[in-house]
Amino acid sequence: MTRAAPREVDLHTPSTVKRSLGLFDAICLGLNAIVGSGIFLLPDDLYRQMGAWSPLAFALCALGLLPVASCYAKAAALVEHTGGPYVYAREAFGARAGFVVGWMCFANSLFSFAAVASAAAAYSLKLWPTLASASGSGALAALVVIAFGTLNYFGAKPAVRAIDMFTFGKFLVLLILVAVLIPHASAARFASTSPPTLAGVGAATFMALFALQGFEVVPVPAAETRAPKRNLPRAVLISLSVAALLYTLVQSVLVAACDGLGRESDAPLADAALALAPTLGIVVTLGGLISTLGFVSGSAFGTPRYLFAAANHGHLPGALGRVHPRFATPHAAIATTAALAAVLCLPFDYRTLIGMSNVAVSIQYLATCLALPRLTAASGRPSAGLRTMSLVGAAVSLSICTQASLVELGWAAGSLLVGLGIEQITRKLKPVGVC
């Protein structure tokens, strides 16, 4: 799920950037952000929690996210400035709240960056087992992060080309897998497990959230979208719905066609394909690697922009807002982000990092839902229905945290405290007014 970063704009005057994105572009932006690594990582985890009922995890998660996505859609119809949740919080609650949300956007992207780099390492080891060494897959994941950080350091154009190349591959391999597995499907497998427990449903839905994140990036380039008040709300809801349907289809076919889906694996789709045919296994493994590398490429590009924007607004040290004189990239922010993500890869596996990411994303969901009543009041169009939707979305956002472990909650809280601490030190050392 690729995380887009806020761009620097004047929040109170019309943007002068070119509006070049249409409805189709906005939908593709959302689908590309959502359909990434999650479906390649989670099928076995979901099956262990819900058995043959596991396809419902995606449907239930999407249903729960619908009020949140609706809040994003409505906010996108009210605010045409670039920045998405960062701008909504800043407009509704002030600069400090905007920084908090922007920082948690960064934390979410950072945890996702490290999680999917770990998954890319796992798929690499499936293809080339000789890469395994005493240092383990964590070191290989860190090298993946550093490689894409370096690519972004030397220019935005090669990074964007890499994202475009990887995007096509991940959709293609999922369609190939479904087409090949359907002839092997049997409805009898859906009757092979008893109904899941309530705890299992909760755990599976929490994991499915990682796969369905991404619709929140649709409004980020609002100032570059044609008719944003019409197109962005549609794109938010369409991208979430289409991704949920695709995931439910893939998981259903896996349940119906594959024995042993519940065995723990770092590459469950590849293992399922290998059980049918070695050639198909290689194709799916390559597809999984392409998909995870595509997500890592997008994270390496987008995640540093949160630091860059916060630095230019005076919240973080000015060095993070510097642009390389030759490559015209936010090189300090890129290097810092890559270093942090590489360090996270070493002690944590992707399952732990997914939980950290989910808690962090719930904070930006909560902020957007709570900001909506203030945004509608400022526009002169408040309504009881919108307030209700806002409260339901906020409740869903808070409920995400109830499924997290204490470790995951602790890392999210620690990330927030670190951000606030750095901001406070920055203000004391260099008291610059926020833009």
Side-chain angles (χ1 to χ4, degrees):
M1 293 157 290
T2 306
R3 293 294 184 271
R7 302 166 185 245
E8 278 220 80
V9 295
D10 186 335
L11 299 178
H12 305 289
T13 59
S15 174
T16 57
V17 296
K18 183 179 180 181
R19 294 191 181 275
S20 58
L21 304 178
L23 175 60
F24 180 76
D25 300 311
I27 293 172
C28 289
L29 176 65
L31 285 174
N32 183 48
I34 299 172
V35 181
S37 59
I39 192 61
F40 287 90
L41 299 177
L42 298 177
D44 61 318
D45 298 274
L46 299 181
Y47 190 85
R48 285 194 298 276
Q49 296 294 339
M50 292 183 66
W53 298 74
S54 57
L56 291 178
F58 293 117
L60 291 172
C61 185
L63 185 64
L65 286 175
L66 190 58
V68 179
S70 297
C71 287
Y72 271 85
K74 185 58 182 177
L78 296 170
V79 180
E80 296 188 38
H81 303 297
T82 289
Y86 169 74
V87 175
Y88 306 151
R90 187 180 174 98
E91 288 280 276
F93 305 115
R96 175 62 63 86
F99 168 73
V100 168
V101 173
W103 178 264
M104 292 314 292
C105 288
F106 169 73
N108 171 46
S109 296
L110 186 68
F111 292 141
S112 298
F113 191 179
V116 182
S118 298
Y123 272 94
S124 297
L125 294 177
K126 283 281 183 184
L127 288 170
W128 301 287
T130 55
L131 290 175
S133 64
S135 57
S137 62
L140 181 57
L143 288 175
V144 170
V145 168
I146 293 169
F148 279 95
T150 302
L151 178 66
N152 279 271
Y153 186 98
F154 289 111
K157 185 171 289 187
V160 172
R161 285 175 178 169
I163 294 169
D164 293 341
M165 179 184 69
F166 289 128
T167 298
F168 175 75
K170 63 186 176 185
F171 281 91
L172 179 62
V173 73
L174 288 174
L175 294 176
I176 291 174
L177 179 65
V178 168
V180 173
L181 288 180
I182 283 178
H184 300 272
S186 170
R189 287 189 173 91
F190 285 99
S192 62
T193 58
S194 58
T197 64
L198 189 61
V201 173
T205 305
F206 179 72
M207 286 186 286
L209 173 64
F210 182 77
L212 286 169
Q213 292 178 34
F215 62 85
E216 66 275 6
V217 311
V218 172
V220 171
E224 298 162 80
T225 305
R226 295 191 298 272
K229 293 184 178 182
R230 183 183 72 247
N231 289 335
L232 291 180
R234 295 177 182 176
V236 168
L237 298 174
I238 290 173
S239 60
L240 174 62
S241 302
V242 171
L245 288 172
L246 174 63
Y247 287 164
T248 303
L249 171 64
V250 173
Q251 185 74 15
S252 297
V253 172
L254 287 170
V255 170
C258 300
D259 294 318
L261 181 60
R263 286 193 294 268
E264 185 169 325
S265 171
D266 289 334
L269 256 66
D271 289 342
L274 279 169
L276 290 176
T279 302
L280 178 62
I282 293 173
V283 170
V284 173
T285 303
L286 278 172
L289 180 59
I290 289 170
S291 181
T292 52
L293 289 178
F295 188 97
V296 170
S297 181
S299 295
F301 178 79
T303 307
R305 270 66 182 178
Y306 289 114
L307 293 183
F308 180 72
N312 283 321
H313 280 154
H315 293 290
L316 295 178
L320 293 173
R322 292 176 183 168
V323 176
H324 196 283
R326 178 180 175 186
F327 304 118
T329 58
H331 60 294
I334 290 171
T336 300
T337 300
L340 291 173
V343 168
L344 285 172
C345 289
L346 297 175
F348 299 114
D349 63 11
Y350 75 82
R351 290 181 175 90
T352 303
L353 289 162
I354 282 173
M356 296 176 185
S357 172
N358 284 351
V359 175
V361 81
S362 71
I363 294 175
Q364 58 171 298
Y365 287 173
L366 176 64
T368 296
C369 292
L370 293 179
L372 182 59
R374 290 187 175 231
L375 295 174
T376 55
S379 70
R381 287 176 286 175
S383 72
L386 285 173
R387 284 192 292 270
T388 300
M389 184 173 68
S390 172
L391 289 174
V392 173
V396 170
S397 303
L398 286 172
S399 71
I400 292 171
C401 297
T402 65
Q403 294 295 325
S405 68
L406 290 177
V407 171
E408 293 159 353
L409 290 170
W411 273 89
S415 301
L416 179 57
L417 290 175
V418 168
L420 291 173
I422 295 173
E423 187 211 23
Q424 190 63 28
I425 293 171
T426 302
R427 286 177 176 273
K428 287 183 177 180
L429 294 178
K430 188 178 180 181
V432 178
V434 178
C435 298

